Amino acid sequence: MRKKLQKFTEFADSLLPHETAYLLETQQFEDEIKLGILERLNYNCTNIRQFTPYDKSIDKRKYSNLKNWVNERLEAIDVDMRFDWMSQMERQIMTDAIEPVEEKQLIKAIRDYEQLDFYFTKFYELVQLYRQYLLIRMRYAHHRVADDFLRKYRERYDTCKEVFERMHEATTDIVGQYSENSAQSMQWEGWLTEVFYDEHLDGLNRYLALVRLTFIYFNYRQFDKLKEKYDYIDSLFRKGQYYSRRLLLNYYGNRVLLHTKFQDYDKAEYYGYLSVRDKNSDYIHYVNNLSAVLLRQKKYPEALQLMRTAYPEMKHTPSFHNRIGFVAFYLKCLNHNQQYRNAENYAESFLQAYKKEVFEHRWHIFFSSYLEAMLRQERYPKVLKVVRKYHLLDKERQYQRNANYLPTILWYNAVAQYKEMLMEKDELAELIQTSINSLDRIEDKQYQLSDLLEQIRPFVPGIVNRIQGKMPISLG
């Protein structure tokens, strides 16, 4: 039997803090009871680790009415729903199928237009198409409305299109540096910052600028600059500006990465759980990031449960980058829950099915988790066999240029060699110490190095203690 208010509670639990903050800020309720429900709803959405039950003594019609009000208010400002509406209008104009009621909506939208919204260029191009539609039918009054709009906003439109085109040039350098270290990107910071803060530009260009600045600041590890910009757009989202659930979830997902870099794992976890509220096209990416945070906090059963819940979605994601990342973190979760044999078996079956894709996408993190599963079972000959079979040491030497590189496979292989008496203790210690000294930006990797040393400690405790005692920075 359904519990009282269960349906409303489920609806309330699906809402996001920025949605309820906007609703609370803009409401004009005279009904104190409705306002009280909304305030509790906002409290529960903001404090996701605790829950205050809704008052069951209140007439359930008030809950139903509030639910309808929430949906209507959010739909009215949803930029993605507006995009869908414009796409529908475009199709109907192109096929001569637009209805009078829909035309009235379009004319009103043109007349009432005051400030550049998120998809301004899309709307401008829709009005261009509509103007042609009107003129050939000699509907001069409405044609004049459309023509006036296009003349008024022509300069803004040209600027937005120019910015959008230049954005691709910036993206080429930024992605090139992020994925291959093949270019520099800091030269774009100033221009992208100007775009981001320019209130005379459309929201799409401004948000695209923020995403690219995120890549730059991660590339150069300038996280304070990034936090400043995230705090700014946070204030816009709370006002309902540029609202859509997709954008909010993306924002939450990026917040996870940012707070992780500041080692603020409680906040990273908070935003991580918000980012997985919807199962959209980026859901698996957000799950991967959240699982990494949970593992960092040693919440191993919780991390494994998260991965198992998301497993069906992983099987259908078209992105092998996200899919292989998911499998790697799933293996890590199994390892941390002492399910080493399960991790090994799953890794082998996945590798057999998707060998080509593994080596094209995130092979290093995949094999790191796979080899750890075998190392934990003390299957040292098999570790050595897999490393030789797939030429992993050669691949890892080439991978050293990657900004996130850690010598995981090198160390696992060396530990297996030592256990099989193919390497002396001093030789192993020197290999580990040399590889640490050769790392770029070692200060930024001290937490990951600490984890890696702890992973091999059970096999060579004396060597790990000796190395940690010599380190110029703390790895404990």
Side-chain angles (χ1 to χ4, degrees):
M1 183 176 178
R2 182 182 290 273
K3 295 180 182 178
K4 194 172 183 181
L5 297 183
Q6 181 178 341
K7 194 171 182 180
F8 178 82
T9 301
E10 290 172 355
F11 165 75
D13 288 345
S14 72
L15 295 174
L16 303 172
H18 286 78
E19 292 175 328
T20 58
Y22 163 76
L23 294 169
L24 195 58
E25 180 68 24
T26 58
Q27 61 79 28
Q28 295 180 331
F29 289 151
E30 296 181 359
D31 186 333
E32 291 295 328
I33 295 178
K34 275 189 179 180
L35 178 58
I37 297 172
L38 181 59
E39 288 174 338
R40 181 161 296 184
L41 190 155
N42 178 64
Y43 178 86
N44 284 335
C45 285
T46 304
N47 300 276
I48 62 175
R49 294 184 178 90
Q50 52 189 330
F51 175 75
T52 302
Y54 297 97
D55 189 343
K56 296 179 182 179
S57 67
I58 296 174
D59 187 339
K60 66 179 182 181
R61 286 175 295 185
K62 289 191 181 290
Y63 287 103
S64 180
N65 291 337
L66 183 66
K67 177 182 174 182
N68 293 335
W69 178 84
V70 167
N71 285 329
E72 289 171 5
R73 292 300 297 269
L74 293 179
E75 287 175 7
I77 63 168
D78 191 324
V79 299
D80 286 345
M81 292 191 72
R82 181 173 171 82
F83 183 88
D84 291 341
W85 171 76
M86 289 187 289
S87 299
Q88 181 183 0
M89 290 296 99
E90 181 181 46
R91 181 180 61 79
Q92 291 183 353
I93 291 169
M94 288 294 293
T95 58
D96 297 333
I98 188 167
E99 297 290 336
V101 173
E102 293 162 335
E103 274 204 78
K104 284 183 72 173
Q105 292 176 348
L106 180 54
I107 287 291
K108 186 177 187 304
I110 297 170
R111 282 186 169 136
D112 294 347
Y113 203 90
E114 293 180 350
Q115 184 178 355
L116 267 62
D117 56 2
F118 196 83
Y119 293 115
F120 161 68
T121 57
K122 174 72 173 176
F123 187 69
Y124 189 93
E125 289 162 3
L126 173 63
V127 178
Q128 283 182 319
L129 187 64
Y130 186 50
R131 181 176 62 171
Q132 291 275 13
Y133 174 90
L134 293 167
L135 186 58
I136 199 65
R137 288 163 177 77
M138 294 177 283
R139 292 173 52 187
Y140 299 122
H142 286 163
H143 175 270
R144 195 157 43 248
V145 173
D147 193 60
D148 288 346
F149 171 88
L150 294 173
R151 290 176 186 276
K152 178 179 178 180
Y153 289 100
R154 179 56 189 261
E155 187 175 338
R156 297 273 196 93
Y157 172 76
D158 289 341
T159 300
C160 291
K161 291 293 286 185
E162 182 182 342
V163 168
F164 187 80
E165 288 300 320
R166 195 177 181 200
M167 195 73 69
H168 183 265
E169 184 183 347
T171 307
T172 301
D173 288 343
I174 293 165
V175 173
Q177 181 186 14
Y178 184 82
S179 60
E180 302 171 5
N181 289 335
S182 62
Q184 294 298 310
S185 60
M186 185 53 77
Q187 70 273 18
W188 291 104
E189 182 203 12
W191 179 74
L192 288 168
T193 299
E194 289 178 9
V195 170
F196 174 64
Y197 285 116
D198 191 344
E199 296 180 358
H200 295 95
L201 286 174
D202 59 307
L204 177 60
N205 271 320
R206 295 180 71 187
Y207 196 76
L208 291 177
L210 177 62
V211 171
R212 281 139 189 81
L213 284 167
T214 300
F215 273 82
I216 289 175
Y217 292 137
F218 269 84
N219 285 343
Y220 292 96
R221 308 191 69 79
Q222 296 184 3
F223 304 121
D224 287 321
K225 288 184 178 181
L226 185 58
K227 185 177 183 302
E228 171 190 312
K229 293 173 176 62
Y230 275 20
D231 289 345
Y232 173 80
I233 201 164
D234 186 277
S235 67
L236 298 185
F237 283 146
R238 289 185 180 278
K239 296 173 185 174
Q241 194 169 345
Y242 305 148
Y243 162 75
S244 84
R245 285 184 70 90
R246 174 183 62 87
L247 292 175
L248 278 180
L249 295 174
N250 180 254
Y251 166 73
Y252 295 148
N254 289 336
R255 275 278 188 182
V256 174
L257 301 176
L258 179 63
H259 290 294
T260 298
K261 294 303 181 182
F262 283 111
Q263 286 88 52
D264 189 347
Y265 299 113
D266 285 339
K267 279 191 177 177
E269 180 185 344
Y270 172 81
Y271 283 108
Y273 275 111
L274 290 177
S275 72
V276 298
R277 284 275 175 98
D278 287 354
K279 294 181 178 179
N280 61 16
S281 59
D282 291 320
Y283 173 69
I284 293 301
H285 172 66
Y286 300 149
V287 166
N288 293 344
N289 291 337
L290 175 55
S291 70
V293 171
L294 293 174
L295 291 176
R296 166 65 64 184
Q297 294 178 293
K298 297 182 172 25
K299 297 182 177 182
Y300 303 137
E302 193 173 335
L304 182 57
Q305 181 57 42
L306 170 71
M307 303 302 279
R308 284 176 169 161
T309 300
Y311 187 85
E313 301 298 323
M314 179 276 291
K315 296 179 71 174
H316 300 293
T317 181
S319 168
F320 270 99
H321 180 86
N322 289 339
R323 186 183 296 192
I324 293 165
F326 179 96
V327 170
F329 280 111
Y330 180 55
L331 299 177
K332 284 178 180 290
C333 290
L334 290 171
N335 288 336
H336 280 295
N337 285 277
Q338 292 81 49
Q339 298 183 33
Y340 308 121
R341 192 56 186 266
N342 288 346
E344 179 188 355
N345 291 341
Y346 186 79
E348 288 176 354
S349 63
F350 188 85
L351 184 60
Q352 184 176 6
Y354 299 107
K355 176 184 172 183
K356 176 175 175 290
E357 290 79 5
V358 166
F359 282 105
E360 287 178 352
H361 307 272
R362 310 192 76 178
W363 66 271
H364 194 267
I365 189 174
F366 173 86
F367 276 101
S368 295
S369 301
Y370 177 25
L371 293 175
E372 183 190 358
M374 292 182 285
L375 200 65
R376 294 290 185 185
Q377 298 174 83
E378 301 181 2
R379 305 190 69 182
Y380 308 123
K382 190 171 182 182
V383 170
L384 299 175
K385 179 181 178 181
V386 169
V387 170
R388 283 195 308 269
K389 179 179 179 180
Y390 296 107
H391 310 287
L392 297 183
L393 293 183
D394 291 335
K395 287 182 170 61
E396 186 166 76
R397 275 190 286 272
Q398 297 170 9
Y399 187 69
Q400 287 178 9
R401 294 181 302 170
N402 189 287
N404 297 318
Y405 167 73
L406 287 173
T408 311
I409 294 173
L410 176 67
W411 289 13
Y412 287 170
N413 184 75
V415 168
Q417 286 182 311
Y418 170 72
K419 288 295 188 178
E420 288 297 295
M421 294 184 290
L422 299 173
M423 181 180 288
E424 298 294 331
K425 179 181 289 189
D426 289 343
E427 187 181 358
L428 174 60
E430 183 180 354
L431 180 146
I432 294 174
Q433 187 67 68
T434 301
S435 64
I436 291 175
N437 294 340
S438 66
L439 286 176
D440 292 332
R441 300 193 295 208
I442 186 172
E443 294 84 359
D444 299 329
K445 298 176 179 178
Q446 57 179 304
Y447 292 96
Q448 294 95 322
L449 278 172
S450 176
D451 286 347
L452 188 52
L453 285 168
E454 289 305 314
Q455 287 172 22
I456 66 171
R457 180 187 293 279
F459 310 101
V460 285
I463 292 176
V464 170
N465 290 337
R466 190 195 320 173
I467 288 173
Q468 286 184 327
K470 292 180 179 180
M471 292 303 296
I473 59 173
S474 173
L475 291 179

